[in-house]
Each structure stands twice: as C-alpha cells, then as structure tokens.
Amino acid sequence: MQSFSASPDSLSGPLTLLDDEGTSWILHRNRLDLRIVRRLVKDATTLVFWGDMGGMSPRLTTAAERPLLWDRIKDEYMGPGGTWSTGRYLAHEFRAEPGRRMLYVEDHC
C-alpha cells in the first residue's frame, strides 16, 4: 500500500490509494461515525488497513487482529460518536470496483 505525505484526513481533493496488487481505492467517506467503523471492522469482506504515524504508514491487518482492533478503537475514537478531545483513532472508508470496501484507520499516537 502506498504511504501518504500527511494523514489522509488532512489531504484535500479526491484521494486515491494504490495497493500492492495495483488496485485503486477511492475515498468514499472520511471521518466515519463510530457505529460504521464497528460494522466494517466486524465485516470479514472489508479490508482493514492500520495507518501508523497519524495514518501515514499503512499496513493490512490480519483476521486475528480484528477483534483486538475494535477493542482499541472503541474507547479512543476521535470521529463522530467517539471522544473527540481524548481520541487517538480516526477512520475512513475507501471503495474499489467491483463493490469492494476498505476501512482505513489512522493511529495518532
């Protein structure tokens, strides 16, 4: 997965990511509501990328990590439905054809 020059949330204009297989992912929704994040983390067909360093260094998560991710995100989410002032995580949804979804979580440590 390509890396970003800044956190995805701070980049403007149409945002497209290119993964290691050559798939183009287009930003569909940014700053997702926490309820949507939960649904996408639990959906096995949705890819989940974890962006360390404020979202600038993405890596694909494994199926075994997913339950632990939700436990980390739910109490420190800084998007809608979360704890804005003390939050650490922010999530965005990307889409690719045909009908593929990706959850991109920024970790602001």
Side-chain angles (χ1 to χ4, degrees):
M1 174 71 71
Q2 76 184 67
S3 60
F4 291 105
S5 58
S7 76
D9 188 55
S10 65
L11 297 172
S12 62
L15 186 57
T16 302
L17 284 171
L18 187 63
D19 69 16
D20 295 339
E21 287 79 38
T23 303
S24 291
W25 295 89
I26 300 168
L27 180 63
H28 180 68
R29 292 186 286 185
N30 66 342
R31 291 186 169 257
L32 294 173
D33 185 276
L34 185 59
R35 294 168 294 181
I36 296 169
V37 174
R38 182 175 143 235
R39 186 177 74 232
L40 293 175
V41 166
K42 294 178 182 241
D43 178 9
T45 64
T46 299
L47 295 176
V48 177
F49 277 83
W50 191 262
D52 290 322
M53 298 174 17
M56 294 172 27
S57 181
R59 69 171 179 80
L60 181 62
T61 62
T62 66
E65 289 179 285
R66 290 171 84 125
L68 301 173
L69 292 180
W70 173 245
D71 285 341
R72 287 176 66 182
I73 295 168
K74 68 180 180 178
D75 295 326
E76 293 187 66
Y77 190 67
M78 63 183 191
T83 56
W84 291 78
S85 60
T86 60
R88 174 177 173 167
Y89 307 108
L90 191 58
H92 317 288
E93 180 186 357
F94 286 78
R95 292 199 179 172
E97 295 299 327
R100 297 177 64 198
R101 298 170 90 174
M102 177 197 14
L103 178 66
Y104 192 95
V105 180
E106 297 180 19
D107 182 355
H108 296 271
C109 45

